[in-house]
Amino acid sequence: MAPFQARLASARAMARHAPIRPTAIEKRMKTRYTADTLTKLPRLYPNHRFIWLMGADNLAQFHRWERWRHIARQVPIAVIARPGYDRGAHASPAMGWLRRAVRPAGQAKHWTRWRLPALVLLRFRPDPTSATRLRAADPAWHRRFLGTSPNMEEEGPAPSPLTSHRQSLD
């Protein structure tokens, strides 16, 4: 696995024009598992509501994650379609458990208020680029990003796909 600093810098570069901001929150909170991160986040950010973003490839093996049901009871989950993974995701044990919690994508505007567990399947024209193929074609890809974030240590968990929505106090 590439050094944490490079992975975070790469994620930030990819999200440069998107309404998301990759962070090193798990590193700062010293959490190892997503379930632990999601337990601590509301205490640190009481005025935010969170949504977990994952690709269909992760949903296909979500049932292997540490306390995955706890994760689903903590935040709404948005699953992004991935070419070649949808069938496995829909047939997965986690999807069997979450199937009753699927919400229409058209109602996603209100997803931070949904009763949990809640899952929305997002479909849009996917980027056909394979990260695995890109890394294989350029095994030293991470060297381009080293040194761009001087306050980050080199090793640690991958940047979180968690997104935050500030809740109005009005």
Side-chain angles (χ1 to χ4, degrees), residues 144-165:
R144 288 179 283 156
F145 296 97
L146 290 175
T148 59
S149 238
N151 295 328
M152 292 287 106
E153 296 175 26
E154 286 203 5
E155 295 301 323
S160 174
L162 192 67
T163 63
S164 165
H165 290 267

Side-chain angles (χ1 to χ4, degrees), residues 87-144:
R87 180 175 288 155
H90 285 277
S92 72
M95 188 60 181
W97 186 80
L98 287 164
R99 195 168 316 283
R100 64 182 169 72
V102 174
R103 304 290 192 273
Q107 294 178 5
K109 181 178 181 181
H110 305 289
W111 55 16
T112 61
R113 293 186 223 132
W114 286 341
R115 185 170 159 245
L116 300 173
L119 182 132
V120 63
L121 300 168
L122 302 176
R123 297 206 173 278
F124 43 86
R125 195 173 78 206
D127 182 338
T129 307
S130 164
T132 302
R133 259 185 263 140
L134 289 173
R135 286 190 300 268
D138 182 10
W141 68 269
H142 60 280
R143 291 189 180 137
R144 288 179 283 156

